[in-house]
């Protein structure tokens, strides 16, 4: 009888221990599995910052204010994204590609020298590696990768009544981060920030009939985007 009671108690203890372990396992297990492919839409805003060197105006005195047109243009952007994530425990790693149409511009009117300078960015694209940490339905992540954009600079010399435009394709790197929330197993929303640095590019205004010396222009771009994704 004693052996029977001991055996019964041992079995009950093992059963309770296994049940508790199952509960702990469920608690540790993430509520959403982030593994899989996804596509989505983005909407947000952006602003650029620029710097320039060596600009002089051969035809009309000197022009030292080119930085003013590069120093604070902003606008809206709308685009798409697609990616794939793999989850290991709470760690999530993957890749994502993004492309957005943009309306980011700035204008500087130097009335003293009768010069009008305009800067325009029409699109931004990037391919990034994404790494993050999942907590329940939240995913906190960072990104790093390569980026591409265009920058058109239009210079109007009102004294000589001439206009020249240079449209450059720029390449650089992008760093960022954000947070994503899984509303359901298939639908998630995210808030994303990215910093893009496109280095310096040579703009030769003499090639477009404007009497400026060659200009080295550097460009950085920051974006904030709200996105929604459908996960497969």
């Amino acid at each position: 009888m004693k052996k029977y009671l001991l055996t019964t108690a041992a079995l009950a203890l093992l059963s309770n221990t296994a049940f508790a372990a199952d509960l702990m396992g469920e608690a540790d297990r993430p509520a959403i599995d982030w593994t899989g492919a996804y596509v989505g839409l983005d909407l947000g805003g952006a602003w650029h910052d620029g710097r320039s060197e060596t600009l002089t105006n051969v035809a009309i005195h000197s022009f030292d204010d080119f930085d003013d047109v590069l120093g604070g243009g902003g606008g809206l952007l709308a685009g798409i994204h697609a990616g794939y994530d793999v989850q290991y425990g709470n760690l999530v790693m993957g890749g994502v590609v993004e492309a957005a149409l943009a309306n980011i511009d700035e204008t500087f009117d130097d009335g003293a020298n009768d010069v009008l300078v305009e800067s325009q960015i029409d699109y931004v694209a990037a391919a990034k590696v994404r790494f993050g940490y999942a907590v329940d339905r939240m995913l906190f992540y960072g990104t790093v990768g390569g980026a591409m954009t265009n920058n058109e600079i239009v210079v109007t010399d009102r004294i000589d009544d001439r206009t020249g435009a240079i449209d450059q394709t720029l390449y650089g790197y992008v760093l960022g981060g954000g947070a994503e929330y899984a509303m359901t197993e298939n639908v998630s929303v995210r808030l994303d920030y990215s910093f893009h640095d496109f280095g310096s590019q040579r703009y030769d205004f003499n090639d477009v009939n404007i009497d400026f010396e060659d200009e080295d222009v550097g460009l950085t771009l920051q974006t904030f985007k709200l996105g929604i994704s459908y996960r497969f």
Side-chain angles (χ1 to χ4, degrees):
M1 184 68 177
K2 180 184 291 186
K3 183 182 294 186
Y4 173 77
L5 291 175
L6 289 174
T7 303
T8 302
L11 289 174
L13 179 61
L14 287 173
S15 176
N16 290 334
T17 302
F19 179 70
D22 287 342
L23 289 179
M24 292 178 63
E26 290 294 332
D28 291 340
R29 199 169 296 131
I32 292 294
D33 186 0
W34 294 90
T35 297
Y38 60 92
V39 295
L41 303 174
D42 294 309
L43 182 65
W47 70 94
H48 71 74
D49 188 19
R51 56 200 179 276
S52 65
E53 299 175 0
T54 73
L55 181 62
T56 58
N57 188 320
V58 177
I60 40 177
H61 313 299
S62 63
F63 184 59
D64 301 323
D65 300 319
F66 199 81
D67 282 342
D68 289 350
V69 76
L70 299 171
L76 299 176
L77 55 82
I80 58 176
H81 63 262
Y84 191 91
D85 288 325
V86 178
Q87 184 166 350
Y88 302 95
N90 292 93
L91 300 179
V92 178
M93 296 186 65
V96 59
V97 291
E98 304 170 345
L101 296 177
N103 181 25
I104 307 167
D105 54 23
E106 183 71 8
T107 300
F108 177 71
D109 191 343
D110 184 1
N113 291 312
D114 279 328
V115 174
L116 179 68
V117 183
E118 302 165 276
S119 174
Q120 174 76 33
I121 294 174
D122 296 320
Y123 70 86
V124 184
K128 310 183 217 178
V129 175
R130 189 166 88 143
F131 46 91
Y133 188 84
V135 181
D136 196 20
R137 290 179 174 266
M138 289 292 301
L139 174 64
F140 301 95
Y141 64 86
T143 56
V144 59
M148 177 177 69
T149 190
N150 77 306
N151 181 217
E152 182 182 39
I153 295 180
V154 181
V155 178
T156 301
D157 181 346
R158 289 190 290 243
I159 288 182
D160 293 335
D161 193 23
R162 291 184 295 180
T163 298
I166 299 178
D167 194 341
Q168 301 269 33
T169 300
L170 308 176
Y171 302 92
Y173 68 86
V174 56
L175 301 172
E180 188 166 358
Y181 178 75
M183 301 174 64
T184 69
E185 290 186 357
N186 299 106
V187 179
S188 62
V189 293
R190 67 173 186 167
L191 183 63
D192 183 272
Y193 166 79
S194 293
F195 172 83
H196 310 70
D197 191 330
F198 296 101
S200 295
Q201 185 76 24
R202 177 60 57 89
Y203 288 71
D204 188 349
F205 292 100
N206 285 300
D207 287 348
V208 291
N209 200 32
I210 295 293
D211 291 330
F212 285 177
E213 299 292 342
D214 291 353
E215 177 65 17
D216 287 325
V217 176
L219 183 71
T220 60
L221 181 69
Q222 299 183 69
T223 62
F224 277 102
K225 294 181 293 186
L226 179 64
I228 184 168
S229 301
Y230 182 83
R231 311 187 72 87
F232 299 97

